[in-house]
Amino acid sequence: GDDLLYFVNDRLVVRHVCQSWETQQQTDGGLKFTRSCVDDSRQQGDRRVYQNEFEINPAGELSRLRFLLHPDYPTMTMTPIENPS
């Protein structure tokens, strides 16, 4: 796996250890990619395990993105607007 490095003002604040991406075929023909990560800087019992995910619909378009963008905030989920104006 690879590590995720989180920086604030060009200063490394934490390193998370992540597994390799796993791919899962969805029932609609799309793909879901999942990667489990853990905050390795905390004590063993206090380590937070989370998953970053993204989904590709059957047309090959990104349909959902769920990522931890900063270790002090909740995971963010983004989806495209259906009919942008």
Side-chain angles (χ1 to χ4, degrees):
D2 298 311
D3 292 349
L4 284 177
L5 306 177
Y6 291 93
F7 291 86
V8 174
N9 296 325
D10 295 326
R11 185 178 67 83
L12 178 65
V13 292
V14 71
R15 175 187 308 261
H16 290 183
V17 178
C18 299
Q19 302 296 315
S20 297
W21 286 99
E22 295 181 13
T23 307
Q24 180 182 16
Q25 185 78 39
Q26 303 293 85
T27 57
D28 66 357
L31 294 172
K32 180 178 183 178
F33 296 85
T34 305
R35 183 180 193 191
S36 295
C37 300
V38 63
D39 180 351
D40 203 33
S41 66
R42 298 177 184 247
Q43 298 296 324
Q44 185 71 30
D46 193 33
R47 292 182 178 172
R48 176 180 174 206
V49 177
Y50 63 94
Q51 293 181 327
N52 287 329
E53 303 172 339
F54 67 94
E55 296 177 13
I56 306 295
N57 66 22
E61 303 165 329
L62 181 64
S63 59
R64 184 171 175 266
L65 182 65
R66 184 172 176 266
F67 265 77
L68 182 70
L69 297 178
H70 189 284
D72 293 339
Y73 296 97
T75 301
M76 178 181 287
T77 301
M78 294 176 276
T79 56
I81 298 171
E82 292 298 322
N83 294 311
S85 49

